[in-house]
Amino acid sequence: MFTKKKSNTGLTFVAQGTKLSGESHFAGEALIGGEVYGKVSSTGKITIEVDGYIDGELSCNELKVSGSFKGKLKCDKLNITSTGTVEGEIACESMEIFEGGQFIGMRVREEVALLNTIEQQELLDSNVEGELQAN
């Protein structure tokens, strides 16, 4: 009687050979076979295929990587398959890496810790720039 209504968002597919750059938002599940650069967000699951590549900031519910991801990631669940590579800073609740899969970077359980390190690095960079300009 009182069931949760599922949205009919469908699947978004970025085909192999396609390159997207900029800010992208996927309303549901997305399958990435091409290359995506920039800020990406999704309310659902994102799957990066073997030839797929995402470089930038990614925020999603679940990420399955068979290809490559490089950048900053915030998700609830991360799954790196045997052909997958994840490089960068990630904030996730659960993480699974299959034999052969690679993770290069830093993981935090809470987004707050990730954001604090980003803000500290920006502050450090601005202080270094100020010192360089003063000389």
Side-chain angles (χ1 to χ4, degrees), residues 9 14-15 18-19 27 30 34-35 37 40 43-44 50 57 69 72-73 75 77-78 82 87 90 96 119 121:
T9 55
V14 177
T18 303
K19 291 183 182 181
E35 299 175 20
Y37 300 90
V40 180
T43 55
V50 175
E57 292 182 30
F69 171 82
K72 293 183 172 98
L73 169 65
C75 65
K77 183 178 180 185
L78 173 62
S82 61
E87 183 178 346
I90 63 168
E96 182 177 26
E119 289 170 1
Q121 185 61 41

Side-chain angles (χ1 to χ4, degrees), residues 63 65 67-70 73 78-80 84-88 90 102-105:
L63 177 65
V65 182
S68 297
F69 171 82
K70 184 176 183 180
L73 169 65
L78 173 62
N79 182 311
I80 303 173
T85 302
V86 173
E87 183 178 346
I90 63 168
Q102 295 183 17
F103 171 64
I104 305 157

Side-chain angles (χ1 to χ4, degrees), residues 5-11 27-29 43:
K5 194 173 187 178
K6 283 192 170 187
S7 62
N8 258 348
T9 55
L11 173 70
E29 191 172 339
T43 55

